């Protein structure tokens, strides 16, 4: 069979296999931005996000017009999702031809034989393995620019490598056809340079795929008219780039406005992601390599044989065929360096342009067994890849993304019982612009300050329920009364459990249906690592001035729980904390450097507005203000230098309400975007519980101790002398145990968690951390038995 027939059959199979699963809703935030750009192009408004993707948006507008004409009364977001996923599908249909042509041309440059004569088995195997790669397989149905961008970049590479072959002197030394070959080389060089310029307008990262190949072609031409080729290629690339750059700048309102938008986006990208050029820590380097080479194959099971063959192929080329290795390196290594250093590698789709290079090297490794083994090995790996990727693709099409699910749910619920307001973390603001939302009003969502809009809403006197769309990775809602946010409806999406969807935003959403809170905190509270970071950013902390929580006035007795620490050195003086309500000092206490937990009991009537009460700013409190101002401040007991302090735990509830707190033996909360929030427990860690009027259930999610120790840990829970539970923890697990009614009063309300193994990071060559760490606990709940 001819290469064209084989590749056509492969393209048809790919197209038919994906057509039923094309996206009908938007999902990742980038897909939302692209859809909004198709609807109303405005880079300054992130429609789409800078640099603007003008070529992709132009293609999307054409596709949306076609899809819209046949979609009837479908919602605009549905039309845009189908149109953009259709572009990915069409790009995948072209991919086998382009991958084949690229690597056939690379072989032809090496062997000085025509790239279009006969069937090139290694190039065909590379095309098949590339197409069935789980990342590319799933990206074929997604409304994203990645696959169209890669396709256009491969088209440019194919033309440039074909130009390279045409400019290579014939192997037999016959130079009679050299003028015609040089002319053909020039034409292909111009086409390749033009496509390279256009590809940047589709996806800017393609520059690192096409420019090195163009440079390699020009370097090979030194001594044979390189100056003319350089001028022609440069002018053609410029024409391709100007074809989209000029309209882009004009539509953006001028160069200054466009550069301002681009600078803002660049700042956000560099601030939000973990990039190796900013932090080349060994752990991050290892993680970046896993994201880049393992995760695109959706796990080790498929990645190991592919990468083992690729490593063998790379070594073989280094030893026997360095020219081919150099060609392949020019096609992928510059992008690899750019990707590792300047992109957030947790976005797995960013690694997609490296898949063809890895596939080619794997095919070269298979060829070491036998030239005849290339097709069978590639076929076996491709079938395994399809078996891995197809269930993910099918799942992708069965349910919309979490943001779409929750919007459908709140629209339906609002038709029956609307809330007082809709609020959200900033990551959900953009999806709401693309979808129909019936709930009003919608509160603003300033990045990292969303909870302050809730505080303003409540201080304005609103008492209706608030629906809040929460990112489960965020923790700022800890600044709001936990009793008011117990009604949570989680929305999750099965595809995001697969590695190939790594980095998708938003990957999950919690619909928090808040009742009016008993209290909420303003700036300066360090109740979670996130809010501690915001307090530092805002320059607010107890030692810098009083921090405020607003407390609903209530005639009944209440209990206040305050936990925190003095961050002073071991030889510094103690810090004196002062808790006030409406300017009246309620309690003071001194804290030596380290941790503290303070309980304040307030009798009934303590929260009533008294004559002469002061607001935190020093003005008289408003007579009908439903909120009391609770403030906490700290000063040094002696000396004039301030002692840094932080409030890390706070709650205020009626005295008969179940409350609990971390006490001795627990370390401060920590956080990473990948893992969320956790606390380390030492060898014995105490939980303090108040008003345990009935049996309780303690539930904690514990990370596998085998990550740090050579054997499982034995864990015991005690209340005084009573053993509550015992377990041997090996794997990451959720451990629950019950506390019988009447057990805690005799133990002063204390539950002690003991573990048999601890380690000190500094003693293992880690950071200078002298804590004795035993259990890493990611979630901990204490509830009355039978209640959630």
């Amino acid at each position: 069979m001819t290469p064209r027939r084989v590749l056509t059959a492969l393209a048809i199979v790919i197209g038919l296999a994906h057509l039923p699963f094309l996206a009908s809703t938007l999902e990742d935030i980038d897909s939302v931005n692209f859809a909004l750009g198709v609807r109303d192009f405005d880079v300054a408004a992130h429609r789409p996000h800078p640099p603007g993707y003008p070529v992709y948006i132009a293609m999307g507008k054409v596709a949306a017009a076609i899809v819209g004409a046949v979609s009837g009364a479908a919602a605009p977001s549905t039309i845009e999702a189908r149109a953009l996923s259709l572009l990915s599908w069409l790009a995948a249909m072209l991919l086998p031809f382009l991958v084949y042509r690229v690597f056939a041309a690379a072989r032809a440059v090496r062997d000085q034989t025509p790239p279009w004569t006969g069937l090139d088995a290694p190039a065909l195997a590379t095309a098949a393995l590339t197409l069935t790669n789980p990342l590319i397989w799933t990206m074929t149905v997604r409304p994203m620019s990645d696959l169209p961008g890669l396709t256009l970049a491969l088209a440019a590479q194919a033309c440039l490598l074909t130009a390279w072959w045409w400019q290579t002197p014939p192997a037999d030394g016959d130079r009679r056809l050299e003028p015609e070959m040089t002319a053909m080389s020039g034409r292909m060089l111009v086409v390749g340079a033009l496509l390279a310029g256009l590809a940047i307008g589709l996806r800017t990262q393609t520059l690192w795929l096409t420019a090195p190949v163009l440079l390699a072609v020009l370097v090979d031409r030194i001594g044979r008219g390189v100056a003319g080729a350089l001028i022609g290629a440069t002018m053609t690339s410029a024409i391709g780039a100007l074809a989209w750059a000029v309209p882009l700048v004009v539509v953006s309102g001028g160069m200054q406005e466009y550069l301002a938008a681009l600078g803002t986006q660049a700042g956000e990208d560099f601030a939000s992601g973990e990039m190796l050029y900013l932090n080349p820590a060994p752990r991050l380097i290892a993680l970046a390599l896993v994201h880049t080479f393992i995760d695109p194959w959706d796990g080790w099971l498929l990645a190991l044989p592919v990468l083992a063959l690729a490593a063998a192929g790379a070594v073989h080329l280094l030893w026997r065929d360095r020219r081919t290795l150099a060609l392949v390196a020019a096609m992928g290594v510059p992008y690899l360096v750019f990707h590792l250093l300047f992109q957030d590698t947790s976005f797995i789709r960013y690694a997609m342009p490296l898949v063809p290079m890895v596939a080619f090297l794997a095919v070269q490794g298979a060829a070491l067994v036998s030239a005849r083994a290339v097709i069978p090995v590639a076929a076996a790996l491709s079938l395994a890849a399809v078996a891995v990727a197809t269930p993910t693709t099918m799942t992708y099409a069965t349910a919309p993304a979490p943001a779409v699910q929750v919007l459908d749910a709140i629209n339906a619920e609002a038709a029956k019982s609307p809330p007082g307001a809709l609020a959200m973390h900033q990551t959900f603001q953009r999806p709401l612009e693309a979808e129909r939302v019936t709930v009003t009003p919608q509160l603003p969502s300033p990045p990292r300050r969303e909870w302050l809009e809730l505080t303003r809403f409540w201080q304005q006197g609103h008492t209706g329920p608030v629906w809040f769309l929460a990112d489960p990775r965020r923790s700022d809602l800890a600044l709001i009364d936990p009793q008011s946010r117990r009604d949570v409806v989680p929305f999750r999406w099965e595809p995001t459990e697969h590695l190939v969807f790594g980095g998708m935003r938003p990957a999950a959403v919690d619909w928090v249906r808040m009742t009016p809170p008993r209290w909420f905190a303003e700036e300066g509270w360090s109740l979670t690592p996130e809010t501690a970071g915001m307090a530092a950013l805002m320059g607010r902390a107890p030692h810098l001035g009083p921090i405020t929580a607003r407390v609903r006035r209530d005639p009944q007795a209440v209990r206040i729980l305050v936990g925190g620490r003095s961050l002073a050195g071991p030889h510094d003086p103690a810090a004196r904390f002062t808790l006030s309500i409406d300017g009246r000092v309620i309690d003071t206490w001194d804290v030596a450097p380290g941790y503290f937990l303070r309980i304040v009991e307030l009798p009934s009537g303590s929260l009533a507005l008294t004559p002469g009460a002061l607001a935190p700013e020093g003005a008289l409190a408003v007579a009908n203000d439903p909120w009391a101002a609770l403030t906490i401040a700290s000063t040094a007991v002696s000396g004039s230098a301030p002692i840094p302090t932080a409030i890390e735990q706070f709650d205020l509830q009626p005295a008969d309400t179940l409350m609990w707190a971390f006490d001795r033996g627990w370390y401060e909360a920590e956080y990473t975007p990948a893992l969320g929030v956790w606390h380390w427990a030492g060898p014995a860690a105490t939980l303090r519980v108040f008003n345990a009027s009935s049996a309780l259930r303690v539930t904690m999610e514990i990370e596998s101790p085998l990550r740090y120790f050579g054997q499982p840990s034995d864990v015991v829970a005690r209340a005084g002398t009573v053993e509550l539970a015992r377990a041997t923890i090996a794997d990451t697990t959720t451990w629950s145990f019950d506390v019988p009614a009447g057990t805690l009063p005799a133990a002063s309300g204390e539950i002690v968690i003991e573990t048999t193994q601890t380690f000190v990071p500094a003693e293992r060559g880690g950071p200078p951390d002298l804590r004795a760490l035993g259990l890493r606990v990611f979630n901990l709940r204490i509830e009355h038995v039978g209640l959630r």
Side-chain angles (χ1 to χ4, degrees):
M1 294 181 67
T2 64
R4 181 173 298 177
R5 290 183 177 179
V6 175
L7 296 171
T8 299
L10 186 57
I12 291 173
V13 170
I14 294 297
L16 294 177
H18 287 87
L19 188 58
F21 308 115
L22 296 184
S24 59
T25 60
L26 302 172
E27 24 112 329
D28 186 273
I29 191 67
D30 284 354
S31 72
V32 174
N33 288 334
F34 291 139
L36 291 173
V38 169
R39 195 179 303 177
D40 180 19
F41 186 78
D42 185 350
V43 178
H46 282 220
R47 305 168 69 99
H49 47 294
Y53 307 85
V55 175
Y56 182 64
I57 296 300
M59 295 165 58
K61 285 181 176 290
V62 173
I66 297 172
V67 172
V70 298
S71 295
S77 61
T78 300
I79 293 173
E80 292 146 1
R82 290 172 177 168
L84 296 177
S85 64
L86 184 63
L87 293 180
S88 296
W89 180 76
L90 292 172
M93 297 275 282
L94 295 173
L95 208 57
F97 300 95
L98 297 172
V99 173
Y100 179 88
R101 189 59 181 264
V102 163
F103 291 101
R107 187 266 309 159
V109 170
R110 179 198 66 187
D111 297 343
Q112 298 181 5
T113 57
W116 49 80
T117 57
L119 183 65
D120 190 319
L124 178 61
T126 301
L129 193 53
T130 298
L131 280 166
T132 55
N133 165 265
L135 177 58
I136 290 181
W137 190 272
T138 54
M139 290 302 299
T140 299
V141 299
R142 297 183 65 186
M144 308 287 280
S145 67
D146 301 77
L147 199 52
L150 175 60
T151 300
L152 191 53
L154 286 170
Q157 286 185 343
C159 292
L160 293 172
L161 289 172
T162 302
W164 195 338
W165 179 83
W166 278 109
Q167 73 186 26
T168 304
D172 58 7
D174 186 353
R175 308 183 72 88
R176 287 176 297 177
L177 296 178
E178 188 169 331
E180 295 180 17
M181 295 178 66
T182 301
M184 183 60 72
S185 173
R187 295 189 193 102
M188 295 305 297
L189 186 64
V190 165
V191 174
L194 178 65
L195 292 176
L198 290 172
I200 298 172
L202 202 160
R203 191 163 180 84
T204 54
Q205 295 93 326
T206 61
L207 172 69
W208 300 97
L209 296 169
T210 57
V213 178
L214 176 59
L215 180 62
V217 174
L218 293 175
V219 168
D220 183 73
R221 198 159 178 162
I222 291 176
R224 290 175 287 137
V226 67
L230 176 61
I231 294 172
T234 302
M235 291 181 62
T236 307
S237 294
I239 291 171
L242 290 173
W244 56 262
V246 172
L248 174 63
V249 172
V250 171
V251 171
S252 300
M255 182 62 73
Q256 184 174 354
E257 288 75 10
Y258 176 74
L259 292 177
L262 186 62
T264 300
Q265 179 67 37
E268 292 175 359
D269 289 345
F270 286 118
S272 61
E274 288 188 321
M275 301 182 187
L276 291 184
Y277 99 98
L278 291 173
N279 184 16
R283 182 187 68 83
L284 292 181
I285 293 173
L287 195 60
L289 292 174
V290 169
H291 288 330
T292 301
F293 293 107
I294 302 295
D295 293 354
W297 300 93
D298 210 19
W300 291 90
L301 187 63
L302 184 59
L304 278 179
V306 172
L307 295 179
L309 288 172
V315 171
H316 171 71
L317 292 178
L318 181 63
W319 185 256
R320 296 289 186 183
D321 190 357
R322 294 176 184 172
R323 182 177 176 84
T324 298
L325 184 63
L327 283 173
V328 175
M331 289 186 283
V333 170
Y335 181 86
L336 172 62
V337 173
F338 166 78
H339 171 67
L340 291 176
L341 291 180
F342 299 107
Q343 295 194 125
D344 186 346
T345 58
S346 66
F347 292 84
I348 307 305
R349 58 190 172 89
Y350 292 171
M352 191 170 63
L354 300 170
V355 170
M357 179 180 70
V358 172
F360 175 76
L361 293 175
V363 168
Q364 296 301 306
L368 293 177
V369 178
S370 166
R372 294 183 177 180
V374 166
I375 294 298
V377 170
L381 290 174
S382 296
L383 289 173
V386 170
V388 169
T390 298
T392 306
T393 307
M394 296 174 66
T395 303
Y396 174 87
T398 57
V404 178
Q405 293 181 45
V406 73
L407 290 178
D408 289 343
I410 65 174
N411 283 334
E413 184 67 19
K416 297 180 291 185
S417 178
L422 176 66
M424 69 207 72
H425 281 134
Q426 197 266 344
T427 190
F428 301 108
Q429 186 174 8
R430 182 63 57 154
L432 262 68
E433 294 181 28
E435 305 290 344
R436 184 183 68 89
V437 183
T438 60
V439 180
T440 57
Q442 294 177 25
L443 302 185
S445 302
R448 301 182 67 186
R449 292 171 169 83
E450 298 92 341
W451 96 96
L452 290 176
E453 297 301 323
L454 293 172
T455 69
R456 294 187 182 96
F457 178 79
W458 288 316
Q459 285 184 275
Q460 290 168 1
H462 299 286
T463 58
V466 174
W467 291 352
F468 192 93
L469 305 184
D471 184 343
R473 300 175 303 171
R474 299 281 303 277
S475 59
D476 56 329
L477 293 186
L479 295 167
I480 298 168
D481 177 10
Q483 298 297 325
S484 72
R485 46 186 175 86
R486 293 172 59 88
D487 186 359
V488 179
V489 182
F491 290 85
R492 302 295 183 263
W493 201 33
E494 187 176 339
T496 59
E497 299 175 4
H498 295 269
L499 297 174
V500 291
F501 278 84
M504 180 183 153
R505 307 158 298 167
V509 56
D510 286 338
W511 178 14
V512 184
R513 299 185 284 200
M514 297 184 187
T515 56
R518 186 172 297 276
W519 63 267
F520 53 83
E522 297 180 352
E523 301 97 333
W525 299 74
S526 301
L527 303 189
T528 68
E530 177 186 353
T531 64
M534 283 306 301
L537 185 65
M538 294 176 169
R540 300 294 305 273
H543 64 282
L544 299 176
I547 59 174
T548 302
R550 303 286 177 172
V551 180
R552 188 175 297 279
R553 299 194 186 278
D554 193 320
Q556 61 185 315
V558 297
R559 177 181 293 115
I560 303 175
L561 181 157
V562 182
R565 68 189 64 243
S566 167
L567 303 173
H571 304 295
D572 290 329
R576 176 163 296 157
F577 286 84
T578 302
L579 186 153
S580 303
I581 295 178
D582 290 335
R584 294 180 292 114
V585 175
I586 301 298
D587 192 21
T588 62
W589 64 95
D590 294 346
V591 177
Y595 163 84
F596 75 88
L597 178 63
R598 185 77 171 180
I599 307 302
V600 181
E601 305 284 354
L602 294 185
S604 59
S606 299
L607 295 177
L609 182 64
T610 58
L614 297 178
E617 297 78 12
L620 288 175
V622 179
N624 60 352
D625 188 354
W627 300 99
L630 183 152
T631 60
I632 299 178
S634 69
T635 58
V637 170
S638 62
S640 58
I643 301 297
T645 60
I647 301 299
E648 298 172 343
Q649 298 186 84
F650 180 82
D651 199 3
L652 181 151
Q653 301 295 339
D656 59 356
T657 301
L658 173 66
M659 301 172 68
W660 66 273
F662 294 101
D663 204 342
R664 304 177 305 276
W666 292 94
Y667 298 106
E668 65 273 19
E670 300 176 62
Y671 169 82
T672 66
L675 298 177
V677 178
W678 70 87
H679 285 81
W680 277 103
T686 301
L687 299 167
R688 286 277 299 279
V689 183
F690 304 91
N691 195 46
S693 58
S694 62
L696 303 178
R697 176 161 296 149
V698 180
T699 303
M700 56 181 66
E701 297 175 12
I702 304 174
E703 183 184 34
S704 170
L706 296 179
R707 182 173 179 181
Y708 310 98
F709 309 106
Q711 60 187 9
S713 291
D714 293 326
V715 182
V716 180
R718 306 181 192 276
T721 59
V722 178
E723 182 176 305
L724 301 173
R726 178 183 294 268
T728 298
I729 307 295
D731 300 323
T732 297
T733 187
T734 298
W735 186 42
S736 294
F737 59 88
D738 290 348
V739 182
T743 304
L744 289 179
S748 301
E750 295 186 352
I751 301 173
V752 180
I753 310 298
E754 300 174 354
T755 183
T756 54
Q757 301 182 98
T758 62
F759 74 99
V760 178
E763 296 176 355
R764 294 188 173 184
D769 185 349
L770 298 178
R771 298 176 300 170
L773 307 180
L775 299 173
R776 182 148 73 158
V777 179
F778 283 94
N779 192 15
L780 196 153
R781 301 188 305 274
I782 301 179
E783 304 160 311
H784 290 291
V785 173
L787 298 179
R788 283 299 306 270

